Amino acid sequence: AGLISVSLAGDRGFDPLGLGKDKTTILNYRNAEIKHARLAMLAAAGWPLGEVFDKPLASALNLNSPLADNGDLSPSLLNGGLGLISPAYWVGVVGMAAAVEALGFTLKNKELPGDYGFDPLGLYPKDAAGQLQMQEKEMIHGRVAMVAIVAFAAQEFASKVSVVNESPFLFKPLWAFLTENLHSFDLSAGYASY
């Protein structure tokens, strides 16, 4: 019973509250964890990409930019601005989530949470050791992404500065960062005279 009843990737035996009472409960929790991990990985990539590309895409398509209307902050519960997003987008998101959830009810392998059999590029290894390693990596990256997305939201809420502007060295080309943020290689004032 408990954590020893099932062996899953990412299992470190950490259950101080004893929530994993039996195999079914553990598999249900893992299924929820893998869904949240995958969403967090998408969000951790999408949040800064949205901040970088929202305004240029909106202006190219002659649309309003929710970021520009929200003080350059990504719309979120803490930052506000969720009302600036089109209701059609929210209908699409809920529809896609419902479709994925419905697909989850048809899974053939109930022993492996999150296995939808979706691998169009054929990246999933064929051998058991490779599969376990891939699952382990997905859990680690997903857990880091869950922490990252919470950190993004908290950082923007606390500082009122977008993630991209808070850490421009990660999101701007090197030459732009060096000239705009560090004022290195700025020859606009001319050469130094001795």
Side-chain angles (χ1 to χ4, degrees):
L3 290 177
I4 59 172
S5 66
V6 63
S7 176
L8 296 168
D11 181 12
R12 302 291 184 265
F14 182 75
D15 188 14
L17 300 178
L19 299 175
K21 294 176 177 49
D22 56 21
K23 185 175 182 177
T24 305
T25 304
I26 292 171
L27 290 174
N28 285 337
Y29 280 143
R30 175 49 61 90
N31 199 27
E33 182 182 22
I34 196 71
K35 286 178 189 177
H36 285 87
R38 289 173 178 168
L39 282 173
M41 287 187 279
L42 289 171
W47 188 302
L49 287 174
E51 289 182 354
V52 170
F53 294 113
D54 182 71
K55 287 189 265 184
L57 284 174
S59 67
L61 299 173
N62 290 328
L63 298 171
N64 290 335
S65 167
L67 267 71
D69 297 340
N70 198 37
D72 286 341
L73 300 177
S74 287
S76 71
L77 287 175
L78 295 176
N79 295 336
L82 290 176
L84 300 170
I85 308 296
S86 168
Y89 170 81
W90 293 119
V91 169
V93 166
V94 170
M96 291 290 289
V100 169
E101 194 66 30
L103 179 64
F105 291 123
T106 65
L107 292 180
K108 293 177 181 64
N109 187 357
K110 301 288 186 190
E111 295 291 312
L112 187 59
D115 182 12
Y116 290 91
F118 180 75
D119 185 20
L121 300 178
L123 299 175
Y124 196 61
K126 304 294 182 225
D127 61 302
Q131 290 175 354
L132 183 63
Q133 184 181 27
M134 183 74 82
Q135 294 164 14
E136 188 79 26
K137 289 177 180 179
E138 182 179 28
M139 288 311 306
I140 291 169
H141 289 120
R143 289 169 179 168
V144 168
M146 287 188 270
V147 172
I149 200 66
V150 169
F152 286 174
Q155 178 264 312
E156 283 197 2
F157 175 70
S159 70
K160 301 297 183 212
V161 176
S162 69
V163 169
V164 171
N165 290 333
E166 189 78 38
S167 50
F169 53 89
L170 294 174
F171 303 106
K172 289 185 179 180
L174 181 61
W175 60 88
F177 170 69
L178 291 173
T179 56
E180 295 170 17
N181 297 90
L182 295 181
H183 307 293
S184 302
F185 309 110
D186 186 7
L187 301 177
S188 62
Y191 295 100
S193 57
Y194 296 99

